[in-house]
Amino acid sequence: MSFEIIKRDTNIDFVGMRKYAYVLSAALLLAGFLSLVVKGGPQYGIDFAGGFNVQVKFSQAVELDQIRQALDSPAMTGLVVQDFGDAGDNEVLLRASFSEQTANDVRAAVESGLTSAFPGVTHEVQRLEMVGPKVGADLREKALQAIFYAVLLIATYISGRFEQKWMVAGLMAAGLASVVYVLELLSAPMSLSVIVATIAALILCVVLRLKYALGAIVALIHDVMIPLGLFSLLNKDVDLTIIAALLTIVGYSLNDTIIIYDRIRENIRAKVSPSLDVVINKSVNQTMSRTLITAGTTFMAVFSLYIFGGGVIHDFALTMLVGVVAGTYSSVFVGAPILAFFKPRIDIDERVEKATA
Amino acid sequence: MGSLRWRALLAAFVIFLALIHVLPSIPSVRNSSLGALLPGDEIGLGLDLKGGIHLTLGVDLDAALSNAVTSIGQDLRLEAREKKILVLRPRLLDSRRLEFTLLKQEQRAELDELLGSRFATMQIISAEDGGNGQLRYVLGVTPDYVKYLQDLTMDQALKTIRNRIDQFGVAEPDIRKQQGNRIIVQLPGLDDPKRAINIIGRTAHLEFKLVDDGADVQAAVAGTVPAESELAYMQDKRGTSEVKTPIVLKSEVVLTGEYITDANVQFDSYGQAYVGMNFNARGSRIFEEVTGANIKKRLAIVLDGTVHSAPVIQDRIGGGRASITGQFTTEEAHDLAVVLRAGSLPAPVNILEERSVGPSLGQESIDKGMMAALIGGLLVVVFMSIYYRRAGLIAAFEIILDIFLILAGLAAFGATLTLPGIAGIILTLGMAVDANVLIYERIREELRHGESVAAAINNGFSRATQTIIDSNVTTIIAAVILYQFGTGPVRGFAVTLTLGILASMFTAIFVSRIFFDSWLARRQPGTQPSI
């Protein structure tokens, strides 16, 4: 018979394990959250905070401290010098916060500072990025909006698709969008509105008994917060590409969650058992081999990107790696068991029967 | 059986379409005789892969408004004077409001009539009693005029920047207006970003003003400048350092750069570069009058507020030619000539964002991306082939097909490939097998339930298809949102991700089915599928 990872009669009690899973998740989230609170929010990269990034390649190895001393000038306020890329590349990344200097001033300061400090070592400015405060604020806003609308649309889609509650879900989405719109008119910071909207979405899901959407949103918050918390612990910058990675994680993780939900729905219809706990467990076990294989192949691909993809894409790949693990875990241990949160009897909804027969 | 043949033909046709879209992107094919027959679209590389500069410029629309309101104020004073209405010096309250004093209240009706007939772009906001029979007026620009002026300023700025870049000579520049006051400029493959940015960002506002030789320069530096005059600084290069000498100029602008028809680099007898300019007919006349009336006085040439030179006028200058001298290098003179020819910007332009990538880093990114894709792809292919045996080989073949389809899609839509785009392709390598895995696992399950081989395959496909579509919608939602809110590179990622998902759905559901059905058709009774 064929090659198998998961034996066919595996029956792990995932719902029974959910308490431990919740404790683990809460611990991870709390660690990240504390780090975020202590450090006053995520450490924004230049895309969001504004400033300069200069990537320089040297012809031979140089001491970071010497670079720091060489470039200590008014043009480079808040200078941070880090190693960049693979060892032996002799590349460094310089970061400075935004000042009245133009990118050309910074370029000139780097050129002259390095030339005089390291005679005989040639260097090349490979990349220079300057983001002004205005653009930074715009990008911050856009990133938050993107995350918010992603949550909104996905919650709507899931409620509609799994519970045939298109109307309710649509109303919820419209309500949330208008809440954010009003907050925007009151010129509340976008971050606050997104937090308020997300909490409102959770409450609405509970009140409207949109259990699938609730599971999806909880899993989603989980998957975004864990990499963010990790980045805060590692003192890594959050940039545009990181937000792109986070949104991809959202899509990927929900992909997992939906596959399990699909199976749950199918098993409910097949009247596998009157107990929801049993149905959820059976469904997670039935889809387990697929969950592991897809997570495995995705992990392989992203891992290869992380190792071989070069410095520019490094943090993106790291976020994806963490996200694939967190997303897979959350689909199995968070997204699925949370359906049992409402303690529902399985009363098969006639409309669901008709609509998807 | 007939349907199988048609499906195979359709799949072959899709692959053929993809092929003719991808081939032009391979240089050796593009330049061959085959290349002439193929569609011309090739996959563009983003600036992060081929090197170049991306700039976001902000046009200072407030400054443009202030300039317009200031000149309205000057016109108003002149027109009022002609009608014997006494208006005291108008001044700007902010970029949209003008304040002035009417000396005699009894002239109010006359003034209001003048404002209504000649200055329809201004509204009277208030006219208060200022004591001594005076009236203090505040005028504001009408919203319509603000909008008109802003659009005009943006269009002029865009045109000027386009002109400058064309004159500078960059291959395939991309310059477009964005919402509000922003302009995006993308210049591929430039090795001297400093120079390009100087050319684009310079306002190049050229003015000729007379030097106020009677003024006390020391006193002016200390803060007492004679009325109708202003303090400026003359730039002078001594070796490598720049020296700035104070100089007092008459405020009145006698001539501006708007009359310039041409500018070019010339050399004096010492081989020193300078910029020669030609004026149009009207500019020539003004220049002749000004020089004729001010012989033995000095005329300052002011560029963006800095005095470049202030030669003594020896004689009336006809023929409409003037020159700007200074210790220019040939390159500086060339760039100055470019901006003068292309015209000045209607308002100052600030660089809000700049991202420049050198060509070597771009190439390195491509190489590393390829390496990561190869290794990642190999890992996935090997794993699938071992785990699902022959069906795994089908999945592996489809992964390669997916990448091929993504590239074809990029070429067909004229999209650019960026570094995050390559990351999106690599991610697809891992995620694309998901659809295959769902189908195969389902088929295995059905077989375990004791279904016949044909029924297992049939049920496996039909049941998994619904799940595949359901589960991919969320990733597509995420990708669409990224496209909507993202900028250049992130958009590239969103596009490849979406194309990857669509391609993987097509290959896993449609193409795999062809393989399975053709195997079923040729199957000896009793053999089990290799899955």
Side-chain angles (χ1 to χ4, degrees):
Chain A
M1 195 55 211
S2 51
F3 202 162
E4 287 176 353
I5 292 182
I6 300 290
K7 293 284 163 282
R8 74 187 59 160
D9 305 321
T10 314
N11 194 2
I12 304 168
D13 180 10
F14 291 101
V15 177
M17 283 198 263
R18 79 175 168 223
K19 291 211 171 56
Y20 304 109
Y22 290 170
V23 169
L24 175 66
S25 288
L28 285 173
L29 288 170
L30 194 67
F33 184 73
L34 281 177
S35 169
L36 282 168
V37 168
V38 168
K39 292 174 183 170
Q43 184 179 317
Y44 290 124
I46 66 160
D47 285 345
F48 299 137
F52 297 93
N53 267 350
V54 189
Q55 187 183 328
V56 187
K57 190 177 176 75
F58 292 92
S59 57
Q60 58 195 71
V62 281
E63 285 291 321
L64 293 188
D65 273 337
Q66 284 180 298
I67 299 174
R68 252 179 234 118
Q69 283 155 13
L71 295 179
D72 194 19
S73 72
M76 308 288 281
T77 28
L79 176 72
V80 179
V81 183
Q82 309 166 303
D83 259 322
F84 189 83
D86 308 331
D89 276 355
N90 303 328
E91 286 179 10
V92 294
L93 187 67
L94 314 169
R95 253 197 69 181
S97 48
F98 195 78
S99 55
E100 285 308 298
Q101 311 289 338
T102 66
N104 274 352
D105 295 343
V106 169
R107 203 177 261 118
V110 170
E111 292 283 349
S112 64
L114 293 180
T115 309
S116 57
F118 303 106
V121 181
T122 53
H123 66 269
E124 179 197 356
V125 173
Q126 293 194 303
R127 181 166 60 119
L128 187 142
E129 296 180 313
M130 182 280 281
V131 178
K134 266 211 193 84
V135 174
D138 284 1
L139 292 176
R140 259 205 312 273
E141 178 121 331
K142 276 190 165 170
L144 283 164
Q145 276 178 329
I147 292 176
F148 170 71
Y149 285 111
V151 173
L152 205 64
L153 281 175
I154 286 167
T156 312
Y157 169 75
I158 290 179
S159 310
R161 190 75 196 81
F162 286 90
E163 309 180 75
Q164 301 307 314
K165 293 184 180 169
W166 287 109
M167 280 297 292
V168 178
L171 284 173
M172 175 178 85
L176 284 175
S178 45
V179 164
V180 167
Y181 181 71
V182 167
L183 281 172
E184 227 171 315
L185 285 184
L186 300 172
S187 63
M190 191 71 197
S191 53
L192 181 74
S193 2
V194 169
I195 292 168
V196 168
T198 314
I199 293 171
L202 284 175
I203 293 170
L204 277 173
C205 286
V206 174
V207 171
L208 300 171
R209 305 187 69 79
L210 299 170
K211 56 177 181 291
Y212 289 99
L214 177 77
I217 293 178
V218 169
L220 195 148
I221 294 169
H222 181 273
D223 299 338
V224 170
M225 286 308 294
I226 283 185
L228 266 184
L230 183 81
F231 262 55
S232 174
L233 285 168
L234 294 176
N235 286 326
K236 280 188 172 295
D237 292 346
V238 176
D239 260 334
L240 264 184
T241 41
I242 303 302
I243 298 294
L246 285 176
L247 272 178
T248 312
I249 292 296
V250 165
Y252 173 85
S253 156
L254 282 168
N255 183 339
D256 259 4
T257 311
I258 286 172
I259 284 165
I260 298 174
Y261 281 5
D262 250 4
R263 191 50 83 98
I264 290 173
R265 196 174 47 172
E266 189 183 322
N267 284 334
I268 286 178
R269 275 198 219 125
K271 300 195 169 62
V272 167
S273 157
S275 146
L276 185 61
D277 287 5
V278 173
V279 171
I280 292 174
N281 269 336
K282 196 171 170 63
S283 308
V284 175
N285 280 300
Q286 281 173 330
T287 49
M288 185 46 69
S289 61
R290 175 262 148 206
T291 305
L292 287 179
I293 292 169
T294 301
T297 54
T298 308
F299 192 89
M300 282 177 208
V302 178
F303 188 67
S304 153
L305 184 66
Y306 177 75
I307 298 288
F308 303 103
V312 182
I313 208 80
H314 209 267
D315 283 355
F316 174 91
L318 177 66
T319 317
M320 288 293 308
L321 276 184
V322 175
V324 168
V325 176
T328 306
Y329 158 86
S330 78
S331 306
V332 172
F333 289 95
V334 181
I338 221 165
L339 289 181
F341 171 81
F342 292 105
K343 284 278 165 257
R345 312 167 316 287
I346 296 189
D347 42 352
I348 299 194
D349 195 331
E350 291 302 319
R351 284 173 312 152
V352 176
E353 283 286 88
K354 280 203 196 78
T356 51
Chain B
M1 212 37 257
S3 97
L4 178 61
R5 186 166 305 148
W6 283 116
R7 280 184 292 148
L9 270 175
L10 182 62
F13 179 66
V14 169
I15 294 169
F16 169 74
L17 270 185
L19 197 63
I20 63 170
H21 277 294
V22 169
L23 282 177
S25 297
I26 304 165
S28 57
V29 175
R30 191 172 52 241
N31 304 329
S32 68
S33 53
L34 178 65
L37 303 171
L38 295 167
D41 41 15
E42 47 180 293
I43 303 170
L45 291 181
L47 292 184
D48 53 350
L49 293 180
K50 68 177 162 191
I53 311 178
H54 165 107
L55 294 172
T56 306
L57 307 170
V59 181
D60 193 344
L61 293 176
D62 265 345
L65 261 176
S66 299
N67 290 343
V69 175
T70 307
S71 69
I72 287 174
Q74 286 170 346
D75 290 352
L76 173 64
R77 205 179 60 189
L78 292 175
E79 298 219 7
R81 198 185 289 167
E82 281 173 16
K83 289 206 180 334
K84 303 277 186 292
I85 304 170
L86 291 174
V87 168
L88 282 193
R89 188 183 271 194
R91 68 188 189 91
L92 224 51
L93 281 179
D94 56 40
S95 64
R96 291 168 198 226
R97 288 185 309 159
L98 186 73
E99 181 194 60
F100 62 87
T101 306
L102 175 65
L103 216 50
K104 296 181 178 155
Q105 259 188 342
E106 50 273 24
Q107 289 184 317
R108 180 173 186 169
E110 285 175 72
L111 177 67
D112 286 0
E113 197 212 337
L114 174 71
L115 289 175
S117 63
R118 304 279 297 123
F119 296 94
T121 54
M122 304 294 280
Q123 297 163 303
I124 301 174
I125 295 176
S126 65
E128 293 164 356
D129 191 356
N132 309 341
Q134 299 177 342
L135 264 185
R136 194 172 147 272
Y137 269 83
V138 177
L139 302 185
V141 191
T142 59
D144 283 352
Y145 187 63
V146 171
K147 170 120 186 46
Y148 162 80
L149 204 70
Q150 287 180 337
D151 289 347
L152 186 75
T153 307
M154 284 305 287
D155 289 338
Q156 276 182 329
L158 197 69
K159 208 170 105 193
T160 305
I161 290 168
R162 254 205 199 113
N163 271 335
R164 289 181 185 182
I165 290 170
D166 287 346
Q167 304 240 10
F168 185 58
V170 180
E172 298 174 37
D174 179 19
I175 305 146
R176 57 183 72 185
K177 209 160 47 169
Q178 270 210 311
Q179 84 281 0
N181 66 332
R182 293 191 184 172
I183 293 174
I184 297 271
V185 176
Q186 305 215 57
L187 308 171
L190 260 182
D191 44 9
D192 193 355
K194 216 182 299 187
R195 209 176 142 191
I197 289 158
N198 276 338
I199 286 189
I200 292 165
R202 192 191 272 179
T203 311
H205 191 59
L206 183 72
E207 293 170 320
F208 290 82
K209 291 177 176 178
L210 288 163
V211 178
D212 186 351
D213 282 319
D216 178 352
V217 175
Q218 297 307 331
V221 173
T224 30
V225 185
E228 311 277 329
S229 286
E230 60 193 35
L231 177 68
Y233 286 90
M234 184 135 87
Q235 200 174 318
D236 202 6
K237 272 197 225 161
R238 306 245 166 93
T240 52
S241 62
E242 288 194 354
V243 185
K244 292 195 167 180
T245 342
I247 182 169
V248 181
L249 306 178
K250 302 251 189 206
S251 292
E252 193 193 357
V253 180
V254 295
L255 185 66
T256 66
E258 64 187 306
Y259 303 110
I260 294 175
T261 52
D262 195 15
N264 44 45
V265 184
Q266 293 172 351
F267 297 93
D268 62 15
S269 46
Y270 302 105
Q272 174 66 51
Y274 68 93
V275 179
M277 297 172 286
N278 293 347
F279 295 113
N280 62 13
R282 183 155 176 229
S284 308
R285 216 178 44 244
I286 298 173
F287 198 57
E288 200 166 350
E289 277 170 23
V290 170
T291 49
N294 293 294
I295 291 172
K296 297 297 170 211
K297 289 186 183 155
R298 289 199 292 160
L299 183 66
I301 298 170
V302 190
L303 186 67
D304 293 343
T306 307
V307 180
H308 264 265
S309 59
V312 176
I313 302 167
Q314 301 295 1
D315 203 351
R316 167 189 293 265
I317 304 174
R321 287 196 54 78
S323 55
I324 304 179
T325 54
Q327 268 81 33
F328 296 125
T329 62
T330 311
E331 201 173 80
E332 283 169 342
H334 167 264
D335 293 355
L336 181 56
V338 164
V339 295
L340 290 176
R341 262 205 307 270
S344 65
L345 285 167
V349 162
N350 306 312
I351 294 171
L352 305 177
E353 179 189 27
E354 175 191 332
R355 294 173 193 265
S356 48
V357 173
S360 65
L361 179 67
Q363 190 53 50
E364 193 181 306
S365 292
I366 295 175
D367 296 345
K368 287 186 168 166
M370 289 282 185
M371 183 77 177
L374 270 176
I375 294 179
L378 206 64
L379 284 171
V380 175
V381 163
V382 167
F383 171 82
M384 288 299 282
S385 310
I386 293 172
Y387 196 86
Y388 289 115
R389 294 180 298 178
R390 199 173 312 161
L393 283 176
I394 295 173
F397 161 75
E398 282 166 3
I399 289 173
I400 294 159
L401 192 57
D402 287 338
I403 290 177
F404 187 62
L405 289 173
I406 293 174
L407 294 176
L410 286 177
F413 293 125
T416 49
L417 185 63
T418 59
L419 182 58
I422 293 180
I425 293 177
I426 293 170
L427 190 64
T428 304
L429 287 175
M431 282 168 58
V433 296
D434 187 42
N436 294 84
V437 173
L438 277 164
I439 294 168
Y440 294 173
E441 285 297 309
R442 199 76 210 211
I443 292 175
R444 281 185 177 188
E445 247 182 290
E446 299 285 327
L447 285 171
R448 271 185 236 139
H449 286 308
E451 294 281 355
S452 73
V453 173
I457 288 174
N458 197 20
N459 292 348
F461 271 96
S462 62
R463 288 188 156 182
T465 299
Q466 185 61 56
T467 308
I468 291 168
I469 292 171
D470 273 352
S471 66
N472 279 325
V473 168
T474 53
T475 311
I476 292 203
I477 289 179
V480 167
I481 284 175
L482 273 177
Y483 187 84
Q484 204 55 41
F485 291 98
T487 50
V490 171
R491 282 194 155 186
F493 171 72
V495 171
T496 50
L497 193 63
T498 311
L499 286 171
I501 292 164
L502 294 176
S504 75
M505 280 161 72
F506 167 77
T507 54
I509 297 168
F510 189 82
V511 180
S512 309
R513 190 74 200 255
I514 297 170
F515 282 108
F516 275 87
D517 283 356
S518 66
W519 175 81
L520 275 176
R522 286 178 292 111
R523 177 173 88 104
Q524 303 297 321
T527 44
Q528 284 294 309
S530 167
I531 188 166

